[in-house]
């Protein structure tokens, strides 16, 4: 049976505070760190009674990694692996959405397994991570197919609002909010659980839905 998927948007990072997208790979803000505690308090009681998590996947960005470490320490202490995956990084090629070097990240975050990160990371030019509608929609399909084939019962993925919305689900995610999904037949579409449908698990996200690829450039920027 395909896994249940908990999709989480990272908590507020420094570039979200004043919309300063020139900050390279920004860490969480103070508010963001508090949002992680709110997320933990809301979601932890459901694990493992309702959601028996066996894997945490993270975009290899500081803000997503920090969100996972702060929000899910009880899972990490239980030995649940936390694995970085380049397929879940954000869309744009602005500095805030360009990752740090794979030569430095493992030392900064020793709890995370970076061994499976695509070695082209953090390059996003002329490859599968380019900021274009065809590339982002294709990447969304690729990561879903990857999840569909996994054996874990429940997987948490900590990613980014843009990619989660226009690449994967068509749903909005507020900073630190989450939604829970199961796969529809075929492994390329998700069906949201009633427990998070509408405004998300924390009740903070927009209810409107968009089409995959909405607003993205047709050619790489």
């Amino acid at each position: 049976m395909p896994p249940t998927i908990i999709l989480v948007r990272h908590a507020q990072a420094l570039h979200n505070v004043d919309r300063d997208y020139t900050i390279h790979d920004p860490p969480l803000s103070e508010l963001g760190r508090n949002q992680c505690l709110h997320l933990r308090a809301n979601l932890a009681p459901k694990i493992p009674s309702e959601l028996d998590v066996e894997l945490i996947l993270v975009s290899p960005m500081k803000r997503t990694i920090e969100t996972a470490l702060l929000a899910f320490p009880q899972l990490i202490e239980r030995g649940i692996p936390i694995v970085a995956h380049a397929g879940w990084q954000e869309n744009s090629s602005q500095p805030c959405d360009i990752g740090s070097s794979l030569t430095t990240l493992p030392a900064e975050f020793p709890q995370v397994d970076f061994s499976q990160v695509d070695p082209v990371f953090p390059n996003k030019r002329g490859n599968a991570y380019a900021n274009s509608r065809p590339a982002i929609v294709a990447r969304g399909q690729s990561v879903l197919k990857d999840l569909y084939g996994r054996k874990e019962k429940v997987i948490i993925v900590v990613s980014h609002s843009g990619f989660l919305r226009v690449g994967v689900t068509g749903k909005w995610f507020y900073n630190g909010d989450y939604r829970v999904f199961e796969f529809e037949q075929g492994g390329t579409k998700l069906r949201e659980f009633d427990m998070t449908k509408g405004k998300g698990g924390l009740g903070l996200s927009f209810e409107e839905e968009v089409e995959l690829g909405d607003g993205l450039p047709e050619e790489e920027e």
Side-chain angles (χ1 to χ4, degrees), residues 76-98:
I76 298 168
E77 290 168 3
R78 279 172 40 201
I80 302 303
I82 175 169
V83 178
H85 190 307
W88 291 97
Q89 65 185 294
E90 185 57 298
N91 300 339
S92 90
S93 55
Q94 298 189 78
C96 64
D97 294 329
I98 300 296

Side-chain angles (χ1 to χ4, degrees), residues 42-210:
N42 182 278
L43 193 50
K46 302 178 177 66
I47 302 170
S49 58
E50 296 179 40
L51 301 167
D52 192 6
V53 176
E54 296 181 311
L55 176 67
I56 303 169
L57 293 176
V58 292
S59 160
M61 309 287 290
K62 291 181 179 179
R63 58 192 184 270
T64 44
I65 295 169
E66 289 179 351
T67 296
L69 294 176
L70 289 170
F72 309 117
Q74 79 282 12
L75 296 178
I76 298 168
E77 290 168 3
R78 279 172 40 201
I80 302 303
I82 175 169
V83 178
H85 190 307
W88 291 97
Q89 65 185 294
E90 185 57 298
N91 300 339
S92 90
S93 55
Q94 298 189 78
C96 64
D97 294 329
I98 300 296
S100 300
S101 169
L102 289 174
T103 62
T104 61
L105 283 172
E108 188 170 354
F109 301 105
Q111 309 95 319
V112 180
D113 178 0
F114 291 94
S115 66
Q116 300 177 43
V117 177
D118 188 333
V120 305
F121 182 86
N123 178 35
K124 299 172 78 169
R125 294 288 184 180
N127 58 33
Y129 311 104
N131 183 31
S132 70
R133 192 184 74 82
I136 290 167
V137 172
R139 177 155 61 94
Q141 294 293 287
S142 177
V143 295
L144 287 179
K145 289 178 181 177
D146 175 68
L147 290 178
Y148 186 77
R150 299 195 66 100
K151 304 303 182 183
E152 293 87 359
K153 294 178 183 177
V154 181
I155 299 172
I156 292 175
V157 180
V158 185
S159 185
H160 307 263
S161 62
F163 182 61
L164 290 174
R165 182 176 68 255
V166 298
V168 181
T169 70
K171 307 291 182 77
W172 290 84
F173 290 75
Y174 187 79
N175 282 126
D177 207 353
Y178 70 96
R179 297 180 184 272
V180 184
F181 298 87
E182 62 184 355
F183 279 99
E184 295 185 2
Q185 189 66 32
T188 58
K189 291 185 179 180
L190 297 172
R191 181 186 299 110
E192 189 170 4
F193 280 28
D194 288 341
M195 65 186 291
T196 63
K197 191 175 292 184
K199 294 184 177 181
L202 299 182
L204 300 173
S205 302
F206 295 140
E207 295 186 68
E208 294 83 0
E209 297 186 26
V210 302

